[in-house]
Structure formats: structure tokens, C-alpha cells
Amino acid sequence: MRLLERMRKEWFMIGIVLAIAGAKLEPSIGVNGGPLKPEITVSYIAVATIFFNSGLSLNTEELTSALVHIKLHLFIQIFTLAFFPAAVWLFLQLLSITPINEWLLKGLQTVGCMPPPVSSAVILTKAVGGNEGIVVTPLLLLLFLGSSSSVPFTSIFSQLFMTVVVPLILGQIVRRYIRDWLERKQPPFGTVSSSVLLMIIYTTFCDTFSNPSIDLDKFSLLLVLFIICSIQLSFMLLTFIYSTRNNSGFTPADTVAVMFCSTHKSLTLGIPMLKIVFAGHEYLSLISVPLLIYHPVQILLGSVLVPTIKSWMVSRQKGVKLMRPTV
């Protein structure tokens, strides 16, 4: 199962490259008003499909049982939704004096606002035997993005409600009636969401490549890649140091959840969210680039670190067992 999931993620990363390349070759197909009619098919149908699919696949029973780890979830939410965006904002104040493309810097701020994905963070956490950290998509995300958006705040909320909240709830309602069938057949929820997400990415870059005034310099792109790698490694190290203190109250399994869930960001939520908040914005694709980079980087770094973290966790758990007094 893990091998299939890893292969799906690898193919998805290849799909991102192909979607952007396809948009470069023939942008007229996916632009607003073009044959695909993305202003309808993407902004409403595609986004709603992703979250209806999420509602169907979301196991509410497991989430409820996981919520007993109050301290763990509280730390992850505070780190992800308060410390992370604030730290990125401070860092970007320094970067604003550099020649890095300003829209890529805005994209880095949106990355800081994103919640962790249920997919990659949970899979990597399970891969080493840790606990799952479950967080809810926050309204704080809208507060960070809304001020830079050309779309009225009320319109953002209404569209988010209709294309995110309603489909998610409907998916959960439908799941109640067909739960046994879903567990027996195990439909390819991940593949469906990934395919729809690639369509959103394709149409986003069609708008970019159809606008000759938008230019993305390679220097800025390389610097953003380096910054993203540095941010992820620094924050993973920071959460590891904090959660392994003697008086932290976290178990080794909790540390694994903290490291992955606090530092990973959701592409599945992020791209549709940006498409709604920055609807019609000519620099939407540039704002999306840091998140598109962050996603594969977090998977690659996570895959590289899993064996090391697993060995550390096993050795720590053995040490704890040896230290327990026998009765």
C-alpha cells in the first residue's frame, strides 16, 4: 500500500511538470474564456469535486479517536497557523530588499498560511509508526490572503462555503450510507483528487503563458527553491528539539507527528484556495509557484529522513522500556 502511494506521488510530481509544459505549448485551451471554460469548470466544478472526494474518503471515526491527544494537536495548530506564517512574514521583510521576484515572495507567504496535508504528513508519520496529527483548515488562512486579493472578502467566503464546505459535508453524509461499500472497494480517492488538481494547475499556468508581460527569472526561482529547503529543514529541526526536551511531555511517536504535521503544507487545499482568493489575478501562477515547489520538496525530504527518524524512535522507545521499573 505504501509502495502504491509513493508511486502515485511520484507520478503526480511528473504530472505537475507535464501540466506546466502543456500550458506553455498551448495556453489558449485553458485560459479564461477558452475551450475548457476554467472560470466554471475549475473555479466551481473541479474545486467542489476535490472536497466532495475528501469528504467521502475522510474517516471521521479515526479523527474523533485521534482528538484525545489534545496537547499534541494544540501544539501543531499553534506552530502551523501562528508561528509558521509569522516567522515567514518576518523573514520576507528581509528578503524584500533583494532582487527576488515580489510575486514569488508573496507566494512564500501563502505557503506559510497553508495547513498541513492529511495525506503526506499522515503517511510519513505512519511510515515510522508515529501518531497522526489532525488539524482543521483555519479561517486564519483567509485573513492572510484576503488583504492582497482583488476579490471582495464576502465573495471569497461565499465561494469557499459553496465549493469547499458544502461538498465536504455532502461527502461525509454520503459516506455514512455507503461506508461499507467504500471500505470494501477502496476507490482511488487520491488518484481522482490528483487528476483534478493537475487540471487546476494546467489552467492556472495557461493564464500565465498567455500573458507576455509576465516573466519568471531563473535566479529568483533557484533562490526560492533554496529558501524552501532551508525553511523545511530548519523548522523540522526546531520542532524536533522542542518536542524532545525532558519536560516537553511528548513521546517519541508524538515527536514524529510534530515534525511532519507542523512543517508540511497542503497542495490539495492550497491550489484551489489560491484559485478562489486570487481569482482573475494576472500573477496567480507566480504566487502558486512556491507551493508547487514546497510540495515535492516536503515529500523528498520526508522520504530521505524517514529511515533515520524511524531508527531514532525505535531506540528511544527501547530506552524508555528499559528504564521502566519492574513490579
Side-chain angles (χ1 to χ4, degrees):
M1 195 70 177
R2 287 176 192 163
L3 178 61
L4 289 174
E5 185 64 29
R6 192 184 311 154
M7 288 176 62
R8 186 181 69 79
K9 287 185 177 294
E10 289 173 356
W11 277 109
F12 178 64
M13 286 188 278
I14 295 171
I16 291 176
V17 175
L18 292 176
I20 295 173
K24 175 68 173 176
L25 290 172
E26 193 54 63
S28 61
I29 296 176
V31 295
N32 281 338
L36 284 182
K37 299 292 182 185
E39 61 273 17
I40 299 172
T41 57
V42 170
S43 298
Y44 293 94
I45 299 174
V47 175
T49 299
I50 286 178
F51 288 99
F52 177 75
N53 189 57
S54 297
L56 279 177
S57 60
L58 199 61
N59 193 330
T60 315
E61 297 80 10
E62 287 186 5
L63 296 184
T64 304
S65 63
L67 287 174
V68 297
H69 303 284
I70 299 297
K71 183 178 180 180
L72 174 65
H73 299 307
L74 187 61
F75 174 82
I76 290 172
Q77 290 195 47
I78 292 173
F79 188 94
T80 307
L81 308 177
F83 178 82
F84 202 124
V88 170
W89 182 84
L90 289 172
F91 186 47
L92 291 181
Q93 303 314 299
L94 299 175
L95 292 179
S96 62
I97 61 174
T98 67
I100 300 176
N101 185 293
E102 65 168 310
W103 297 104
L104 289 179
L105 293 181
K106 287 182 183 295
L108 282 172
Q109 182 63 71
T110 64
V111 169
C113 297
M114 296 297 164
V118 174
S119 55
S120 63
V122 170
I123 288 163
L124 288 169
T125 300
K126 283 182 173 179
V128 294
N131 294 329
E132 294 181 19
I134 306 298
V135 293
V136 179
T137 305
L139 290 175
L140 181 62
L141 183 64
L142 290 178
L143 296 177
F144 270 93
L145 301 180
S147 60
S148 301
S149 172
S150 58
V151 182
F153 211 55
T154 51
S155 298
I156 293 172
F157 268 111
S158 60
Q159 189 170 348
L160 282 174
F161 181 76
M162 293 304 299
T163 58
V164 176
V165 179
V166 172
L168 193 64
I169 293 172
L170 286 176
Q172 280 283 281
I173 293 172
V174 173
R175 179 182 170 83
R176 279 188 164 192
Y177 294 98
I178 61 171
R179 183 172 57 189
D180 293 338
W181 181 86
L182 290 173
E183 291 174 355
R184 187 171 62 255
K185 295 293 184 180
Q186 295 187 340
F189 293 117
T191 302
V192 172
S193 291
S194 295
S195 300
V196 177
L197 199 55
L198 288 175
M199 178 186 173
I200 296 174
I201 293 169
Y202 168 73
T203 57
T204 299
F205 278 86
C206 281
D207 285 332
T208 297
F209 294 127
S210 64
N211 187 344
S213 65
I214 296 178
D215 182 39
L216 178 59
D217 61 288
K218 294 182 178 64
F219 174 73
S220 292
L221 203 56
L222 288 173
L223 277 180
V224 167
L225 175 60
F226 174 76
I227 290 167
I228 285 173
C229 291
S230 302
I231 287 174
Q232 287 198 39
L233 288 171
S234 301
F235 282 3
M236 288 184 83
L237 179 61
L238 181 63
T239 52
F240 177 80
I241 292 172
Y242 180 85
S243 59
T244 52
R245 294 176 305 125
N246 290 332
N247 59 344
S248 69
F250 291 124
T251 65
D254 291 338
T255 296
V256 173
V258 165
M259 286 180 65
F260 287 129
C261 295
S262 298
T263 58
H264 281 205
K265 296 294 181 177
S266 174
L267 182 69
T268 305
L269 173 67
I271 293 298
M273 186 75 76
L274 293 179
K275 193 78 175 176
I276 294 170
V277 175
F278 292 97
H281 201 296
E282 61 176 333
Y283 292 102
L284 170 60
S285 60
L286 295 189
I287 296 171
S288 306
V289 164
L291 185 57
L292 290 172
I293 295 174
Y294 198 98
H295 179 74
V297 168
Q298 72 187 9
I299 294 172
L300 291 173
L301 283 179
S303 300
V304 169
L305 292 173
V306 157
T308 304
I309 295 173
K310 185 170 185 177
S311 330
W312 168 82
M313 194 185 77
V314 170
S315 63
R316 283 293 297 267
Q317 287 177 333
K318 285 181 179 177
V320 170
K321 288 179 181 178
L322 290 173
M323 290 174 61
R324 285 176 182 168
T326 55
V327 180

